[in-house]
Amino acid sequence: QVQLVESGGASVQPGGSLRLSCEASGSIFSTYGVGWYRQTPGKQREMVAVITSSGSTNYADFVQGRFTISRDTAKNTVYLFLNSLRTEDTAVYYCNQQVRTAPGGVITDYWGQGTQVTVSS
């Protein structure tokens, strides 16, 4: 099994910054695409940023250059740097990692438990 542990969520004022981390542990043979998603009450979970195994990134339109996703493959960790935070960025942020647990095995999506980001004055 694979476990994802997120950290870094906090309450900040508008304009503030945070760094979210997501470390995967367990039976990891290789990791493929990883990403961050967010969800607010009553809304569907939405993609924030994703990064492929080759380093290509894709961001949601609402990011507008304010967030940066990166990964440390050796540490099975993905980061999300959030800058110029706005009140509308308030949400639970979830990490996703696509993992193969054994050679020739299937690639499975794993999710973290979520970390709360609150932006308020």
Side-chain angles (χ1 to χ4, degrees):
Q1 269 293 353
V2 176
Q3 298 80 39
L4 303 186
V5 178
E6 298 137 335
S7 61
S11 294
V12 297
Q13 293 185 339
S17 299
L18 287 173
R19 186 189 78 163
L20 306 183
S21 300
C22 171
E23 181 178 4
S25 62
S27 302
I28 300 171
F29 175 72
S30 56
T31 303
Y32 298 87
V34 297
W36 288 93
Y37 296 73
R38 71 185 189 183
Q39 189 170 21
T40 55
K43 292 189 176 182
Q44 287 190 330
R45 191 172 298 186
E46 61 182 353
M47 186 273 286
V48 177
V50 294
I51 182 168
T52 68
S53 55
S54 62
S56 297
T57 58
N58 187 34
Y59 295 91
D61 290 342
F62 61 76
V63 170
Q64 297 178 338
R66 300 177 298 127
F67 302 167
T68 302
I69 188 171
S70 66
R71 65 190 297 174
D72 185 333
T73 303
K75 295 182 179 179
N76 294 318
T77 300
V78 58
Y79 304 96
L80 184 67
F81 299 85
L82 304 98
N83 297 305
S84 301
L85 282 162
R86 305 167 180 167
T87 55
E88 56 264 38
D89 294 319
T90 296
V92 178
Y93 284 71
Y94 295 91
C95 169
N96 169 267
Q97 297 200 27
Q98 298 172 330
V99 178
R100 193 192 302 271
T101 58
V106 298
I107 300 173
T108 302
D109 274 329
Y110 290 91
W111 292 89
Q113 79 287 353
T115 185
Q116 177 70 48
V117 172
T118 301
V119 185
S120 174
S121 56

